[in-house]
Structures are given as C-alpha cells and as structure tokens.
Amino acid sequence: MHRSAPRLSRILACAAVPVMLVAVGCSSDSGSGAEKNAGSSSSATASAEPTKPAVEPAKYTDLPDACTSISKKTVKDLVPEAKKKGGTAGSSSDLSVRASCSWNGLDDKGVKGSLYHWLSVGFTRFDSDETLGSGATRATEGYTKQIAKEKATEGAQKTAAAPAPGIGDEATVITYSLNQTGEDFAYATVVARTGNVVVSLTYNGTGYAGAKAPSAADILKGAQKAAKEAVGEVDATAASAAAEATPSAGDAKKGDKADEGADKDAEKSGSEATPKS
C-alpha cells in the first residue's frame, strides 16, 4: 500500500504533461493569429488612405513672339504711320513666361490735324504647380486680377466692362476715356484667358489740331479684332512646336532608306573581309 502511492503520483504527473503542451501550443497559435490580424488591419488602413490627385499639366509651355502675334495688316489698319512697323518689344527675363510689344504712330492729315493711335499686347503664362494649383487655375486668378487692375485705371472716366465672347476661353473688354496731353483718349482693353495664358491688349487713340478723334466704337472694334489674333497665336505657336517635335512621314522614309543603305554597306564590308576558299 505504501509503495503504490509514489507510483500513482508519477502516473498523474505524466498525464498532466500533454495537457500543458496543448495549452502552450494553443497560446502560441492564438498570438500568431492576433499578429496576422493586426498586420491585415494596418494594411487595410494604409490602403484606405486617399491619394492626393496629381495637378493637371499646363496646356501651353511657350508663348508666341508678341511683336508678330498681330498681323502686319491689322497693325497698319489700327496704327497708321507707326514709328516702328515691327513694334517695340517689352523687356522680359523669360519670354516663355512673359512677353509684350507695342506700336504707336501719328497720322498727319495736314491742315485737318493729326490722328494718334497706340496699341499694345501682353502675354503671361502660368505653369502648373503642386502647391499653387494647375496652370489654368492660376491663369484664371491672374485674369481676374488683370480685369480689376484695368477697371481701377487712375483718371479713367466712364469706365465700363462687358464680356467679349469668341475670344479664348473667357474674355472681358474694359472701355473708358482718359484725358492726356490736353486731349481725350478713347481706350479699349481686352483681357482674355486661353488655357494657362492671359492675354491683355490695349488700343487707344485721339485727334490733334482739330482732327476728329476716333470714336469709342471704332476703338473697341479694333481692340477686339487684334485680341482675337493675339489669342489665336498662342494656339498656333503650340501647334507649330508640336509639329516640329513630331517627325514627318517623309523624314521617316528617309530614315528607313538610310538604315537600309547602312545595312547594305555593312553586308558588303563583311563579305569583302571574308577570305575566299
């Protein structure tokens, strides 16, 4: 009886060992599953985070030559006897971002007096920026600021603003009169936006020594005509650049022929280098 007690204790101890192993194994599996679930949750959270949309690329990457953006015929019609037929270019540190040109002239009518006209055009291009926004958005802001600036011209009288349809993506014309050198000048400024470029064109005129001054209607008509040409040149410049960057079919054929000629020369050179048997 006394000898069987230790034996019974050993049997119970051995029986308890598998139970402990099972418990440890379950505990280990449970921890692994929790870690996997935590990892899956982190991945789901990371993938759920919204990605910031990329800023739309600017439509135009260059500007036209301001002094050739208005046809010679239009310049001649609007500024007869211009001092410089080719215009006077404005200063700019980067002509792909900002460019301008102006013309002025006094048309002497003899005893009937003289007519003076002045025409100017300016281009400002806005690039897309991750922080500031797309070029079009920035140009829209620049367009709005330029209109406000024109409306606030010092000394202007009878200022009026109205939409100018058919010129770029959006356009506004501001008209007013301004007394200078003792004469009343009729002014018309067209501010237009096309893509990421703002175009500002101003046309004015007056009469001296008894000459009848140009009418406000004629000044407005001339300004709108010139503005359409200037805005159109922005598109034309972009199209020209794209055409130059794309090889024509004729150039491709020339390239193919050149490659064929090079292949033949290589074959000929190889056959001459091979010794005859």
Side-chain angles (χ1 to χ4, degrees):
M1 292 291 293
H2 295 288
R3 294 180 62 184
S4 64
R7 182 181 180 185
L8 179 60
S9 298
R10 287 196 299 272
I11 293 172
L12 291 174
C14 290
V17 172
V19 176
M20 293 176 66
L21 291 175
V22 171
V24 172
C26 290
S27 175
S28 176
D29 289 343
S30 176
S32 177
E35 291 174 359
K36 290 179 179 178
N37 290 336
S40 299
S41 177
S42 299
S43 299
T45 303
S47 61
E49 293 181 358
T51 56
K52 188 177 180 180
V55 176
E56 180 185 5
K59 182 178 181 180
Y60 300 110
T61 58
D62 201 1
L63 292 175
D65 180 342
C67 290
T68 60
S69 64
I70 301 172
S71 68
K72 292 180 179 180
K73 182 180 184 306
T74 297
V75 170
K76 184 177 180 180
D77 290 342
L78 300 186
V79 190
E81 304 301 326
K83 290 181 180 178
K84 291 184 66 175
K85 306 298 182 182
T88 301
S91 60
S92 174
S93 59
D94 188 345
L95 291 174
S96 71
V97 175
R98 191 181 298 274
S100 62
C101 192
S102 63
W103 299 259
N104 70 86
L106 187 65
D107 185 12
D108 189 354
K109 300 294 184 180
V111 295
K112 294 182 179 181
S114 303
L115 289 175
Y116 176 83
H117 294 90
W118 188 78
L119 174 68
S120 71
V121 62
F123 299 87
T124 304
R125 186 178 62 81
F126 297 83
D127 280 321
S128 293
D129 186 280
E130 291 291 340
T131 303
L132 302 177
S134 69
T137 298
R138 296 180 65 203
T140 300
E141 295 172 354
Y143 165 78
T144 302
K145 290 179 181 179
Q146 187 63 32
I147 292 173
K149 180 181 178 181
E150 295 297 336
K151 286 181 178 180
T153 299
E154 185 177 356
Q157 298 178 344
K158 300 179 182 179
T159 302
I167 304 177
D169 295 324
E170 55 184 336
T172 299
V173 59
I174 302 96
T175 57
Y176 54 89
S177 62
L178 191 63
N179 188 278
Q180 298 177 113
T181 62
E183 300 293 342
D184 289 328
F185 284 67
Y187 272 78
T189 295
V190 178
V191 181
R193 180 187 68 83
T194 176
N196 58 307
V197 174
V198 174
V199 180
S200 181
L201 184 138
T202 298
Y203 181 46
N204 67 60
T206 193
Y208 286 105
K212 185 179 178 180
S215 68
D218 286 342
I219 292 295
L220 173 59
K221 183 179 179 181
Q224 291 178 316
K225 178 183 179 182
K228 285 183 179 179
E229 291 186 10
V231 170
E233 275 302 301
V234 177
D235 273 322
T237 298
S240 178
E244 290 178 0
T246 304
S248 64
D251 291 337
K253 289 181 179 179
K254 289 179 181 179
D256 291 341
K257 289 182 178 180
D259 291 340
E260 290 176 4
D263 291 340
K264 289 180 179 180
D265 289 341
E267 291 176 1
K268 182 178 180 181
S269 176
S271 62
E272 290 177 350
T274 304
K276 296 181 180 180
S277 57

